[in-house]
Amino acid sequence: MKKPAARQLPALVLATVLGSLALAASAAPLSFLNQTITASVPAKDVPALRKAVGDVLNNAADKSTTQWTSSHGPRHRQVQMALTPLQTSQTQKADTCRLLNVEASRPNGKLKEEWQFWFCKQPNGTWKASAQ
């Protein structure tokens, strides 16, 4: 399933933030990713976001939405996310993979981004971003 590159960039940022995706070294600097909402999750909130994504991937029914909001930093800089697993599939390479839709925004709702990415469950029980 090929997705537009623009929708994949925030997904890669989140996957990096979550520590679930190793990005290959690139000659081009990736500093432009710093301007995304997803990349602005406060470091103190990363463990809570990681847990929320894991809980959604492990327990939420397809098409059910779980809300998550960062709790550190000023209110106008908070990151709000709607986490919705859209599809669950079984593959030969991985037991279970889930397509996760994320809508990230700021409290004022003026700045929003949305992306979708596949996460596959690993033998040790963790989830890893995947192209499936």
Side-chain angles (χ1 to χ4, degrees):
M1 175 178 225
K2 188 97 171 160
K3 295 170 210 66
R7 290 184 70 160
Q8 288 184 356
L9 293 178
L12 291 175
V13 172
L14 181 62
T16 301
V17 167
L18 298 177
S20 62
L21 179 64
L23 295 175
S26 172
L30 299 177
S31 58
F32 67 92
L33 296 176
N34 292 337
Q35 301 305 313
T36 64
I37 297 169
T38 303
S40 67
V41 171
K44 291 181 178 180
D45 286 321
V46 171
L49 176 57
R50 186 179 295 139
K51 181 180 182 327
V53 170
D55 288 347
V56 165
L57 293 172
N58 282 320
N59 304 314
D62 284 353
K63 299 192 173 50
S64 67
T65 299
T66 300
Q67 299 293 328
W68 179 86
T69 303
S70 62
S71 59
H72 293 86
R75 179 171 159 24
H76 72 280
R77 298 290 301 162
Q78 284 180 328
V79 176
Q80 300 169 331
M81 293 187 178
L83 308 166
T84 308
L86 299 177
Q87 180 181 350
T88 302
S89 66
Q90 306 296 314
T91 68
Q92 291 179 348
K93 288 184 179 181
D95 183 33
T96 302
C97 293
R98 301 195 78 187
L99 179 60
L100 183 65
N101 185 78
V102 174
E103 295 176 17
S105 64
R106 296 276 186 208
N108 64 13
K110 292 180 182 178
L111 184 59
K112 294 181 179 182
E113 64 189 30
E114 182 178 357
W115 55 266
Q116 295 176 1
F117 210 77
W118 284 98
F119 287 85
C120 294
K121 196 164 197 172
Q122 304 302 297
N124 66 1
T126 61
W127 292 87
K128 180 178 179 184
S130 171
Q132 192 186 21

